[in-house]
Amino acid sequence: MADYEMHLDSLKQRDSKIFDAIIAEKNRQMDGIELIPSENLVSQAVLEALGSVPTNKYSEGYPGKRYYGGNEFIDVIETLAIDRAKKLFGADHVNVQPLSGSPANMAVYFAMMELGETFMGLKLTEGGHLTHGHPVNFSGRNYKCVQYGLDRETEMLDYDAIEKQARVSKPKIILSGYTAYPRTIDFKRFREICDSVGAFCMADIAHIAGLCAVGVHENPVPYFDAVTTTTHKTLRGPRGAIIMCKQEFAEKIDKAVFPGLQGGPHDNTTAAKAVAFGEALEPSFKDYAEQIVKNARALSDSLAEKGLRIVSGGTDNHLLLVDVFKSKGITGMEAESALEKAGIYCNKNTIPFDERSPWNPSGIRIGSPVMTTRGMKESEMKQVAEFIAKALDKHDNETELASIKKGVKEFCSGFPFYK
Ligand code: DSN
């Protein structure tokens, strides 16, 4: 654990307003229970790489073939990031330049489809992502997107139904991998479905990448055509993304990233990605990933015991969806707001077949990666569930919520991370 403020001395002197806001944000992160499943806390080494001099450099192109001089050491950094990601996921080819998850998905579509062609992805309201074909997003506007859904009864994927839909719509790409799906994904089945209709087999494993890297969730990388992931969720790296693909698609995908969609990569972020991949290659990362799932299950069980309806009846990964509308008669927005006042952070989320709008849906989405990074285990998840249930019960009582927040802060002080 490093002294966070010590590294910001110059900033403190140069720009106290930004310094104060950064310290306030650091304190918020440390004093609260962070349950947003797409967030994590990076190591001091990752933070240091992010705040380092490669941010000054332009390096359009790829290692050994750049459009600017002076890239000798940037090539070392990017090659290390590529090699570590290949080893971590068993990938043939890795592009480490995508600036984030959306451009990574865009690059694969751009490489593998013509505008107007058809692809399949899961509906946003049932756990997919905006870039998986939502009509307001580039993916839904530029391509013909056939959206699949979940089974109403189980609230899980129905592979037979997806296969039937694929036979009818004959998509160019079938995309699996989700942002709000608490269950195991049968990637092998997706590969079979793609093969049966001749579709390009793609996954977006942004949420579960850290689990896939160490076999805590099935890893699709070795046998899928292309897999995208952000690097900052369960993978616990800097904000950014990578694309992994079979060698035969490497040239097309690299060209789609640069010069197709992006200019110069963010080399400081590439350095931080390399550091995070190095950390994920350490044996302790597997313990971390296993604990993420144990903690999510413990949280799910404890919340269910307190009468909260957990979508699909539980979780197999790092996240769960809670139907607060049915369980407590409050909306996802009201729940998110009450929890925030109690120092507990989550996000409102649609649940499958939600009759409410995405802006004020029936559910909340919560996850265990951050609290697991802080060293919490199953017994602490019971306490977290206590805090959540109490805050939801007292959602309209500001005094009670403020008092819970004090308890949350004290509880969190037992699990320090950034000093
Ligand atoms: N915004 C991310 C999430 O919270 O799941 C997905 O990109």
Side-chain angles (χ1 to χ4, degrees), residues 306-324:
K306 294 182 182 309
L308 287 151
R309 189 181 89 78
I310 311 298
V311 167
S312 84
T315 178
D316 302 321
N317 58 25
H318 63 304
L319 70 82
L320 45 138
L321 291 167
V322 186
D323 181 351
V324 286

Side-chain angles (χ1 to χ4, degrees), residues 36-38 129 179-180 206-207 230 232-233 239 347 365:
I36 294 175
S38 44
H129 186 250
T179 65
H207 266 261
T230 51
H232 49 273
K233 298 186 176 97
R239 292 209 96 97
N347 65 277
R365 184 183 67 153

Side-chain angles (χ1 to χ4, degrees), residues 363-380:
I364 53 172
R365 184 183 67 153
I366 62 185
S368 60
V370 172
M371 301 324 274
T372 309
T373 292
R374 292 185 73 166
M376 293 187 190
K377 297 225 161 66
E378 290 95 315
S379 56
E380 280 81 30

Side-chain angles (χ1 to χ4, degrees), residues 122-123 125-127 148-158 161-162 178 180-182 311-312 321 351-353:
L122 180 65
K123 283 179 203 156
T125 48
E126 293 180 27
Y148 56 93
L150 302 178
D151 177 76
R152 191 177 273 274
E153 190 79 11
T154 61
E155 299 175 305
M156 295 190 212
L157 293 164
D158 175 347
I162 295 167
Y178 314 108
Y181 186 68
V311 167
S312 84
L321 291 167
I351 58 168
F353 308 97

Side-chain angles (χ1 to χ4, degrees), residues 200-263:
F200 184 83
C201 190
M202 174 181 174
D204 171 352
I205 60 166
H207 266 261
I208 54 172
L211 311 183
C212 294
V214 290
V216 171
H217 187 291
E218 167 76 12
N219 173 20
V221 174
Y223 57 93
F224 264 42
D225 296 323
V227 175
T228 59
T229 181
T230 51
T231 45
H232 49 273
K233 298 186 176 97
T234 50
L235 199 47
R236 209 164 56 180
R239 292 209 96 97
I242 59 173
I243 303 172
M244 298 170 272
C245 68
K246 288 192 174 157
Q247 196 57 45
E248 62 187 292
F249 306 115
E251 198 183 328
K252 270 189 165 177
I253 286 176
D254 282 353
K255 276 192 180 151
V257 174
F258 173 82
L261 293 167
Q262 295 184 180

